[in-house]
């Protein structure tokens, strides 16, 4: 027999991104706002890497430990939860603030070998927080082997925080309030910050999340679009959110305009095309709907919603066996099983 060898494929990076803990503070936190700011900063900065980074929204239901902003969760607890989520690495960061001087320490540890693969340890004035976080973010992407993901690097130096420390503290305090119990009052507080500081991408991003959380779909898409146009974050995910919520608020003209803007910037993902299909579907333009779903399947042949539409089209054309074959292959959890079973009944 001829000897054969295959290069083992490297497992994708899954980084468990913990909240920052305040040094020398187990249960008493003096500067929780700073941890909240860091959390918001990294969530926005790494939106294109959500497939590689596990943030608190992904792991909070697995963590039976108090992890308010600034609280230091024991490492054995973090590693246990990270293992349950198939993380490859854990990111742990700590800070202290004394008279506007920040001590910030961050390290990334591999799950399997418990080896430190990256560390960042800096002391700086708080007004230099942004430039230090930009430096840290760039180093993190490089050390985690994610430099090939151009979209994540495109905006790596784009400002998020703004220069005003008092404003930053206010944003952090509102993020803590948002984390405990989001409400219209919380959402309005973010809007007040934006009126005075429209360039604060962090405030705009948190306002978008807060308004989406309270189902204010009129304000939500404008905030996401603000991040794209005024703050310059042309992430496909932000375009998608803006288009989706303009569509849900029946503002299809705006949704179409923003979709065109995304496509002009070279963004034509299956997710964006799905929104376009839904807009045409809502306008009862079924020929255009079918045309766009076909484009989706060219980019992603296994996209469940596009496959479901293809099955419907086959049934209407009298191709029942082909329709059922497609429906039987739909095993994704992203599609409503009841809807699939009803369609099978139609065949």
């Amino acid at each position: 027999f001829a000897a054969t060898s295959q290069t083992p494929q490297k497992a994708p990076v899954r980084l468990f991104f913990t909240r920052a803990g305040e040094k020398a503070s187990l249960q008493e936190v003096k500067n929780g706002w700073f941890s909240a700011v860091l959390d918001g900063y990294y969530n926005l900065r790494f939106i294109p890497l959500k497939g590689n980074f596990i943030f608190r929204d992904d792991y909070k239901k697995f963590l039976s430990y108090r992890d308010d902003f600034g609280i230091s969760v024991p490492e054995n607890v973090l590693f246990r939860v990270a293992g349950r989520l198939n993380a490859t690495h854990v990111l742990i960061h700590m800070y202290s603030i004394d008279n506007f001087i920040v001590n910030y320490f961050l390290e990334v540890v591999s799950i399997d070998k418990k080896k430190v693969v990256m560390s960042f340890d800096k002391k700086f004035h708080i007004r230099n927080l942004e430039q230090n976080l930009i430096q840290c973010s760039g180093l993190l992407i490089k050390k985690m082997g994610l430099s090939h993901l151009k979209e994540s690097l495109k905006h790596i130096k784009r400002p998020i925080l703004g220069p005003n420390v008092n404003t930053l503290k206010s944003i952090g305090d509102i993020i803590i309030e948002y984390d405990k119990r989001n409400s219209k009052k919380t959402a309005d507080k973010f809007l007040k910050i934006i009126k005075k500081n429209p360039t604060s991408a962090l405030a705009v991003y948190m306002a978008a999340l807060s308004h989406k959380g309270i189902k204010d779909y009129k304000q939500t898409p404008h905030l996401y679009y603000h991040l794209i146009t005024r703050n310059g974050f042309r992430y496909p995910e932000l375009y998608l959110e803006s288009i989706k919520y303009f569509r849900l608020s029946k503002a299809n003209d705006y949704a179409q305009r923003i979709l065109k803007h995304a496509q002009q910037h070279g963004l034509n993902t299956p997710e964006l095309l799905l929104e376009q299909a839904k807009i045409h579907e809502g306008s009862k333009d079924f020929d255009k709907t079918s045309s766009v779903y076909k484009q989706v399947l060219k980019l992603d042949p296994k996209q469940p919603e596009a496959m479901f539409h293809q099955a419907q089209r086959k049934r209407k054309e009298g191709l029942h066996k082909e329709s059922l074959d497609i429906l039987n292959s739909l095993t994704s959890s992203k599609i409503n099983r009841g809807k699939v079973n009803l369609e099978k009944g139609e065949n």
Side-chain angles (χ1 to χ4, degrees), residues 97-135:
I97 306 173
D98 183 26
N99 198 25
F100 298 105
I101 301 300
V102 177
N103 276 285
Y104 182 52
F105 172 76
L106 177 150
E107 70 175 13
V108 176
V109 183
S110 64
I111 289 280
D112 54 351
K113 298 179 181 178
K114 301 293 188 292
K115 178 183 175 184
V116 176
V117 297
M118 176 213 158
S119 63
F120 183 88
D121 193 356
K122 293 285 288 287
K123 185 176 182 179
F124 51 86
H125 195 283
I126 199 165
R127 64 171 172 263
N128 297 322
L129 176 61
E130 182 99 64
Q131 67 191 59
N132 278 278
L133 292 183
I134 287 172
Q135 183 186 350

Side-chain angles (χ1 to χ4, degrees), residues 104-337:
Y104 182 52
F105 172 76
L106 177 150
E107 70 175 13
V108 176
V109 183
S110 64
I111 289 280
D112 54 351
K113 298 179 181 178
K114 301 293 188 292
K115 178 183 175 184
V116 176
V117 297
M118 176 213 158
S119 63
F120 183 88
D121 193 356
K122 293 285 288 287
K123 185 176 182 179
F124 51 86
H125 195 283
I126 199 165
R127 64 171 172 263
N128 297 322
L129 176 61
E130 182 99 64
Q131 67 191 59
N132 278 278
L133 292 183
I134 287 172
Q135 183 186 350
C136 184
S137 299
L139 184 63
L140 182 59
I141 288 174
K142 183 180 178 181
K143 291 291 186 180
M144 297 308 297
L146 300 171
S147 299
H148 62 288
L149 300 173
K150 294 179 181 178
E151 199 60 43
S152 63
L153 293 171
K154 194 182 292 183
H155 306 299
I156 196 67
K157 293 186 178 179
R158 195 165 290 283
I160 288 177
L161 301 179
N164 191 300
V165 176
N166 288 330
T167 300
L168 209 53
K169 187 178 184 304
S170 296
I171 295 171
D173 287 337
I174 304 168
I175 293 174
I176 292 171
E177 182 180 319
Y178 161 82
D179 185 65
K180 288 180 177 175
R181 188 178 181 275
N182 188 28
S183 66
K184 186 179 184 306
K185 183 180 176 183
T186 309
D188 288 342
K189 285 182 180 180
F190 283 124
L191 289 183
K192 286 180 182 177
I193 295 280
I194 295 167
K195 283 181 182 178
K196 294 180 181 178
N197 303 271
T199 59
S200 172
L202 179 59
V204 180
Y205 176 61
M206 292 308 306
L209 293 180
S210 185
H211 281 85
K212 183 169 75 169
I214 61 171
K215 294 183 168 52
D216 181 350
Y217 295 161
K218 289 189 176 180
Q219 187 71 254
T220 299
H222 289 284
L223 290 163
Y224 279 115
Y225 196 52
H226 183 130
L227 279 168
I228 296 163
T229 54
R230 298 194 66 177
N231 299 113
F233 287 90
R234 294 198 180 99
Y235 293 152
E237 295 84 354
L238 297 179
Y239 275 108
L240 184 65
E241 292 292 273
S242 185
I243 293 164
K244 175 183 176 180
Y245 288 105
F246 272 126
R247 175 177 62 81
L248 290 175
S249 61
K250 311 297 182 187
N252 282 352
D253 287 346
Y254 276 107
Q256 287 276 37
R257 197 182 309 166
I258 295 164
L259 181 64
K260 187 177 179 181
H261 189 272
Q263 290 168 339
Q264 285 171 343
H265 286 87
L267 302 176
N268 210 34
T269 65
E271 293 80 12
L272 287 169
L273 287 171
L274 279 175
E275 281 302 316
Q276 186 175 20
K278 289 171 185 175
I279 291 166
H280 290 317
E281 205 165 13
S283 303
K284 310 295 183 187
D285 193 334
F286 299 117
D287 288 339
K288 284 186 179 178
T289 302
S290 291
S291 175
V292 176
Y293 273 125
K294 285 177 184 176
Q295 292 179 57
V296 173
L297 288 170
K298 283 181 182 178
L299 293 173
D300 182 1
K302 297 292 184 182
Q303 210 294 319
E305 289 182 66
M307 286 176 69
F308 181 79
H309 183 270
Q310 185 185 40
Q312 283 185 314
R313 196 177 73 250
K314 295 285 185 185
R315 172 178 60 78
K316 289 172 183 176
E317 292 170 357
L319 302 170
H320 297 286
K321 185 180 182 306
E322 289 184 33
S323 175
L324 280 169
D325 285 345
I326 294 168
L327 291 169
N328 287 329
S329 69
L330 270 173
T331 56
S332 171
S333 60
K334 294 179 180 178
I335 193 83
N336 184 295
R337 301 312 305 171

Side-chain angles (χ1 to χ4, degrees), residues 16 63 65 72-83 90 92 111 114:
F16 185 77
L63 187 65
Y65 191 94
S72 297
V73 179
E75 287 189 16
N76 65 316
V77 175
L78 296 175
F79 275 91
R80 186 168 64 247
V81 176
V90 173
I92 298 166
I111 289 280
K114 301 293 188 292

